[in-house]
């Protein structure tokens, strides 16, 4: 049996743990494991690298992916479908394991419909893929963001400033919620729940009245609804946004907008920090290495059991699987009830 393994979409801590576990499991089962370079593009370019005990040695603690990644879709190319199918057949892959986020699983689903035996592994720091409790990478990102909040507290307190931290989270506010609560933030803005900038201002002023001359505000990059409030539905700002190769708007910058607005309305010195790619880089946490390893082993078992068109899933501490169609049907966003419960911290 011959399995092709690819990593697609944004890089994410824990990718190498998954690749390593797949290679080791394949070795123990006498299955040929072939790394496909740079996501789905590697199949089109016939760019491959054999995965064995040696090629995956010493990578479990490394961020990024030894296979490289891209946001390339063969289905966006003229004649791409046919070319993809031919190349997969010519290479003799019995299955492809696609380690990716929501966009990459859309491609995996199309490939499955085309007749390619695909198994998915859910990856994203945003934790927004349905059908699984956690995606690997999220724990690392949430820990990095929490540490950033801890560090911002120093300057906030010493200089009596309002500090805004912008974290990643395109459609879902998981990183903002987990790091914000863990770091003791005074307000959190997420894409799922529209709030008014004056709600934030009110908390800052309440704290001031209680003698707290600083505040920490966390905002997800995807909480772009604040642009509407600031620019009164003037879409010029949105229209200017560049797109990535999955056709999605490139995000980043709402933290600065929010900081400006808070400063205007409170007259307190306010600064913004955009955490950006730091959240995706560096060593994965023990949890992400463990989760990645479990996903890797399970994905090979899924291939052996012919559970194609399905994605590994981690549910209540156990590995199982869900259909890719179900997983990509709806994003897993933060429950508004959960957000409302946290209001006790935003006063
Ligand atoms: O999908 C994960 C993510 O981290 C998003 O939160 C973010 O919008 C996106 O990746 C940015 O990644 P890139 O700049 O590589 O497209």
């Amino acid at each position: 049996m011959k399995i092709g393994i690819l990593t697609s979409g944004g890089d994410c801590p824990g990718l190498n743990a998954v690749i390593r576990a797949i290679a080791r499991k394949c070795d123990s089962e006498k299955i040929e494991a072939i790394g496909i370079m740079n996501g789905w593009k590697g199949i089109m370019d016939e760019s491959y690298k054999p995965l064995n005990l040696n090629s995956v040695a010493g990578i479990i603690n490394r961020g990024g992916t030894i296979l490289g990644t891209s946001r390339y879709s063969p289905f966006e190319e003229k004649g791409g479908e046919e070319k993809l199918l031919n190349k997969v057949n010519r290479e003799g892959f019995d299955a492809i394991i696609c380690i990716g986020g929501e966009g990459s699983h859309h491609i995996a689903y199309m490939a499955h419909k085309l007749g390619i035996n695909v198994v998915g592994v859910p990856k994203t720091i945003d934790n927004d893929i349905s059908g699984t409790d956690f995606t690997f990478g999220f724990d690392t990102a949430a820990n990095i963001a929490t540490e950033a909040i801890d560090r911002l507290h120093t300057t906030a307190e010493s200089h009596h400033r309002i500090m805004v931290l912008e974290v990643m989270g395109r459609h879902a506010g998981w990183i903002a919620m987990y790091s914000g609560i863990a770091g003791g933030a005074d307000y959190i803005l997420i894409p799922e729940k529209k709030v008014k900038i004056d709600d934030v201002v009110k908390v800052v002023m309440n704290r001031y009245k209680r003698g707290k001359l600083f505040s920490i505000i966390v905002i997800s990059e995807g909480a772009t609804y604040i642009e509407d409030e600031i620019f009164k539905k003037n879409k010029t700002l949105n229209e200017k946004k560049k797109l990535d190769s999955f056709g999605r708007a490139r995000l980043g910058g709402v933290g600065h907008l929010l900081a400006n607005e808070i400063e205007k309305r409170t007259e307190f010195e306010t600064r913004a920090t955009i955490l950006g790619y730091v959240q995706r880089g560096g060593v994965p946490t023990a949890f992400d290495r463990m989760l990645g390893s479990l996903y890797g082993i399970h994905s090979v078992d899924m291939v052996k059991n012919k559970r194609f068109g399905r994605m590994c899933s981690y549910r209540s501490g156990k590995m199982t699987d869900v259909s890719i169609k179900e997983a990509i049907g709806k994003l897993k966003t933060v429950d508004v009830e959960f957000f409302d419960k946290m209001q006790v911290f935003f006063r």
Side-chain angles (χ1 to χ4, degrees), residues 71 124-126 168-170 221 244 248 251 277 280:
R71 293 199 195 276
T124 167
I125 63 163
D126 290 359
M168 282 187 169
R170 174 171 289 274
E221 61 177 0
D244 67 18
R248 312 173 314 173
L251 298 179
Y277 299 99
R280 293 204 324 220

Side-chain angles (χ1 to χ4, degrees), residues 34 111 143 148 152 186 193 200 244 302 305:
I34 301 292
N143 273 288
L152 288 174
D186 302 301
K193 170 93 180 189
V200 187
D244 67 18
M302 285 169 65
N305 295 322

Side-chain angles (χ1 to χ4, degrees), residues 79-94:
E81 281 190 20
E82 214 186 316
K83 199 168 160 193
L84 176 71
L85 196 56
N86 285 342
K87 299 239 178 197
V88 167
N89 289 337
R90 186 154 8 115
E91 201 57 37
F93 287 129
D94 296 294

